[in-house]
Amino acid sequence: MSDEEELPPNPTDNQVRHTVDDEMRTSYINYAMSVIIGRALPEVRDGLKPVHRRVLFGMYEAGHTSDRSYSKSARSVGEVMGKFHPHGDQSIYDTMVRMAQDFSLRYPLIDGQGNFGSIDGDKAAAMRYTESRLDRLAKHMLDDIKKDTVDFQPNFDDSEQEPQVLPARLPNLLLNGSDGIAVGMATKIPPHNLTEVASAIHLHVERILEEGEENGDPENPPSVDVGEYMQHLKGPDFPTGATIHGIDGIRDMYETGHGRFHVRAHCEVFDNDKGKHIVVHEIPYQVKKAGMLEGIADLVSKETVKGIRDIRDESSKEGIRVVIEIKQNADPHAVLNQLYRSSRLQESYSANMMGIISREPVQLTLPVILHSYVRHREEVIRRRTQFDLAKAEARAHVLEGLEKAQ
């Protein structure tokens, strides 16, 4: 080739060039946002992650509602997996199991029949053995969904339509809380009592009406001090009972989205002629009773905790009852304090309230959660009213024509 001849053009000159660093950064950010939005964090309006929403809607569509008989859990799992959630059947069933456990959710959304696990950490029976249907409370999460109250989107293969959010007549995010680990962030929201949450929402709506607030931005709630809310919403209400210590941590959680407090088992101390013993009736949230007792026995064998003679688990269907016998020469109150300090009879709960608003992860405060829910319900009621009005007008048009024909 002579020096005067031109070299052929490089076929990659017109292509966009990326360094490996740029490609890895872009791909990882896309993956992280996919996990945050589509898997790990709950939507603030209905308090559900996509898998929970798909399970509830799939069972509703299939007719497995509270006013009908139970059906095999495997059938519900198959319908949800085939129509809305193209992932492993075990992950869907694990979601159903947790939504049916009264020691995991403050207000279970699925009514299960069969072995759905226990507070000791026992696993549920296989899906082919258990039966399930929607709980009566779940009906309120799906009320009026057929009346164009929420937007729908195509499923994974465009063969079905699934809701982007449920109408959620219940403030589920506060009622049942949420736990999730995403990429670079996590969420941990404790459950609350329905009556207290309803009272706080009533206060919030009244303040909106007083201020004439018309802004639809969920991140700009009306000016209500957290202390006013806490006159109605005292704090978390765990399904396993126990006692919360640390009101400052609860206030921090409501004001900033971060808070830490202690949850202590409910124990009774007996020191009488029949002997000395401690009776445990309630244990901290998300603590497995069997593992807790093994931990106490291990502390006794290592002599970290002294004065315990025997431990008996007398729990039954009526509730938890663990009897800890104390030696005659020991003070049961001192032993109980040792147990609180060293065992899982006392646990610290670190709240981190993260959720999705307008498809973005947001650090949540109590006013923001309440305001997002109230605005969502306003939109649902407005759309439901428009739907009913259009249906009534169409019927009126037919009736007017019949009248003229007659």
Side-chain angles (χ1 to χ4, degrees):
M1 180 183 295
S2 65
D3 293 340
E4 298 178 357
E5 288 186 59
E6 294 185 2
L7 292 172
N10 189 334
T12 63
D13 283 346
N14 295 327
Q15 297 178 6
V16 178
R17 298 186 180 185
H18 288 290
T19 64
V20 174
D21 288 349
D22 291 339
E23 183 61 33
M24 290 294 291
R25 185 178 297 108
T26 303
S27 298
Y28 194 75
I29 289 174
N30 290 338
Y31 160 72
M33 289 306 298
S34 174
V35 172
I36 290 168
I37 303 297
R39 185 175 301 179
L41 299 190
E43 164 66 57
V44 175
R45 292 173 290 176
D46 62 4
L48 298 171
K49 301 176 188 178
V51 63
H52 298 98
R53 190 177 302 114
R54 288 165 176 167
V55 167
L56 293 179
F57 182 69
M59 293 181 71
Y60 173 79
E61 283 284 281
H64 307 317
T65 52
S66 59
D67 55 347
R68 299 190 182 182
S69 61
Y70 293 94
S71 63
K72 283 290 183 183
S73 298
R75 180 177 176 183
S76 299
V77 169
E79 287 166 343
V80 172
M81 182 171 60
K83 291 182 178 179
F84 307 115
H85 198 69
H87 300 281
D89 57 348
Q90 194 58 46
S91 65
I92 299 173
Y93 184 55
D94 288 345
T95 300
M96 288 181 59
V97 166
R98 188 173 184 278
M99 294 171 76
Q101 293 174 336
D102 58 2
F103 53 88
S104 292
L105 263 65
R106 181 66 180 81
Y107 299 96
L109 298 175
I110 288 180
D111 181 9
Q113 183 169 263
N115 175 17
F116 275 82
S118 73
I119 198 169
D120 284 325
D122 302 317
K123 292 186 177 180
M127 67 182 81
R128 60 184 178 274
Y129 299 124
T130 61
E131 296 180 335
S132 58
R133 63 184 179 186
L134 291 178
D135 196 271
R136 286 182 299 171
L137 274 176
K139 170 181 177 293
H140 299 295
M141 295 294 294
L142 294 148
D143 266 352
D144 302 319
I145 197 169
K146 297 294 187 183
K147 293 187 174 183
D148 192 33
T149 52
V150 294
D151 292 330
F152 280 70
Q153 64 189 13
N155 68 340
F156 59 92
D157 63 355
D158 292 340
S159 62
E160 302 277 346
Q161 292 287 313
E162 61 175 319
Q164 295 180 5
V165 65
L166 296 186
R169 196 175 169 192
L170 294 172
N172 183 63
L173 185 62
L174 286 173
L175 295 188
N176 283 322
S178 185
D179 282 276
I181 300 174
V183 180
M185 63 182 65
T187 187
K188 193 170 185 179
I189 303 172
H192 292 79
N193 181 272
L194 175 57
T195 303
E196 293 182 357
V197 173
S199 182
I201 290 173
H202 187 267
L203 169 67
H204 188 89
V205 172
E206 280 188 338
R207 193 58 54 86
I208 289 177
L209 296 175
E210 288 173 6
E211 296 182 3
E213 199 269 328
E214 298 179 355
N215 182 17
D217 185 359
E219 295 190 44
N220 291 317
S223 55
V224 183
D225 184 71
V226 168
E228 293 182 69
Y229 285 124
M230 291 185 68
Q231 293 176 7
H232 302 269
L233 188 60
K234 308 296 184 183
D237 184 16
F238 295 110
T240 55
T243 308
I244 296 174
H245 293 260
I247 193 169
D248 291 338
I250 297 174
R251 189 181 182 100
D252 291 341
M253 175 182 71
Y254 290 156
E255 285 182 339
T256 67
H258 296 279
R260 181 181 173 130
F261 48 84
H262 295 285
V263 184
R264 179 177 287 185
H266 174 56
C267 304
E268 287 184 291
V269 177
F270 295 91
D271 186 356
N272 49 39
D273 297 338
K274 296 181 180 179
K276 302 176 180 180
H277 51 275
I278 300 168
V279 180
V280 182
H281 296 291
E282 299 171 355
I283 64 175
Y285 184 51
Q286 294 178 332
V287 170
K288 296 176 182 177
K289 176 164 60 68
M292 181 190 74
L293 298 183
E294 289 175 7
I296 293 174
D298 190 46
L299 291 171
V300 173
S301 65
K302 292 179 180 178
E303 297 189 353
T304 305
V305 174
K306 299 179 181 179
I308 293 178
R309 184 170 62 188
D310 189 26
I311 303 172
R312 296 194 311 273
D313 187 0
E314 300 178 356
S315 303
S316 63
K317 290 182 179 180
E318 280 69 41
I320 292 174
R321 179 181 168 85
V322 175
V323 179
I324 302 173
E325 291 189 6
I326 308 299
K327 295 178 181 178
Q328 286 298 326
N329 60 350
D331 180 3
H333 294 281
V335 174
L336 182 57
N337 286 333
Q338 290 181 59
L339 290 173
Y340 283 146
R341 185 168 57 251
S342 305
S343 75
R344 300 198 71 185
L345 282 179
Q346 178 172 293
E347 287 280 288
S348 64
Y349 189 97
S350 298
N352 178 32
M353 302 201 296
M354 293 285 299
I356 303 299
I357 295 179
S358 302
R359 296 190 61 79
E360 291 183 2
V362 176
Q363 188 73 51
L364 302 172
T365 62
L366 179 62
V368 168
I369 294 175
L370 294 177
H371 197 59
S372 299
Y373 173 73
V374 169
R375 285 305 183 201
H376 174 57
R377 285 302 300 169
E378 287 176 352
E379 178 68 10
V380 166
I381 293 170
R382 183 186 64 79
R383 293 177 63 162
R384 182 187 68 193
T385 306
Q386 286 181 338
F387 180 88
D388 289 338
L389 176 61
K391 194 171 182 180
E393 288 175 341
R395 177 64 177 161
H397 181 70
V398 172
L399 294 177
E400 288 172 2
L402 290 173
E403 183 184 19
K404 290 180 180 179
Q406 193 168 8

